[in-house]
């Protein structure tokens, strides 16, 4: 069975059970007797609807797992992991701004290649300085 179908069935069972149990909640003595039950009932109905949609789309969707497994871009995965390890290693040594410029710039070069080098540089510097400004000047949180 597909994972969407399994999760859809489990969510549907849980939603129905939650809905039925919410009907057994005690009613209020003052005001509207159903008032404390509206929210749990609506949560149960929402869970049933979402699970039914997931189950329906899971049954209709035809997955090609062999294609997905063979078409994994390992260069992106391993490159991102390597850059993340380097970033974690140099972050405290050289500080936030240079290490984040390296990190974002290297990720953008992996994703976009060298064709958009000027755009990558502008995005890298702008994003790094924007994050630094938000933390340092707005939130008053100092970065290394």
């Amino acid at each position: 069975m597909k994972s969407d179908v399994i999760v859809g069935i489990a969510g549907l069972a849980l939603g129905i059970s939650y809905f039925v149990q919410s009907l057994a909640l005690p009613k209020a003595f003052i005001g509207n007797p159903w008032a404390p039950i509206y929210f749990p009932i609506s949560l149960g109905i929402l869970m049933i609807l979402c699970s039914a949609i997931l189950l329906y789309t899971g049954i209709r969707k035809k997955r090609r797992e062999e294609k997905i497994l063979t078409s994994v871009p390992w260069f992106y995965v391993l490159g991102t992991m390597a850059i993340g390890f380097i970033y974690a290693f140099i972050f405290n040594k050289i500080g936030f701004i240079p290490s984040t410029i390296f990190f974002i710039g290297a990720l953008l070069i992996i994703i976009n290649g060298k064709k958009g080098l000027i755009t990558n540089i502008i995005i890298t510097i702008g994003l790094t300085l924007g994050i630094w400004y938000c933390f340092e000047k707005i939130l008053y949180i100092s970065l290394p």
Side-chain angles (χ1 to χ4, degrees), residues 15-133:
I16 291 170
S17 171
Y18 190 83
F19 177 75
V20 169
Q21 290 299 319
S22 66
L23 292 174
L25 288 172
K27 298 187 179 37
F29 295 112
I30 301 171
N32 185 358
W34 284 90
I37 301 174
Y38 288 145
F39 185 71
I41 284 178
S42 59
L43 282 179
I45 291 171
L46 185 63
M47 183 179 265
I48 291 169
L49 288 174
C50 290
S51 299
I53 291 170
L54 183 65
L55 183 62
Y56 177 72
T57 57
I59 289 172
R60 287 195 65 213
K61 191 191 316 184
K62 294 181 180 177
R63 288 190 178 184
R64 295 189 179 108
E65 304 234 351
E66 296 83 26
K67 251 189 175 179
I68 292 173
L69 290 177
T70 58
S71 67
V72 172
W74 290 108
F75 174 72
Y76 294 144
V77 173
L78 296 176
T80 302
M81 288 174 57
I83 292 169
F85 285 126
I86 294 169
Y87 178 67
F89 181 72
I90 66 172
F91 185 79
N92 283 330
K93 292 183 181 11
I94 65 173
F96 173 78
I97 292 177
S99 62
T100 305
I101 287 175
F102 161 75
F103 178 69
I104 296 173
L107 284 180
L108 286 176
I109 287 174
I110 285 179
I111 293 169
N112 297 332
K114 294 181 181 176
K115 62 183 174 192
L117 191 60
I118 301 298
T119 307
N120 289 348
I121 291 171
I122 292 170
I123 290 172
T124 299
I125 293 173
L127 187 61
T128 302
L129 293 178
I131 292 170
W132 174 83
Y133 182 80

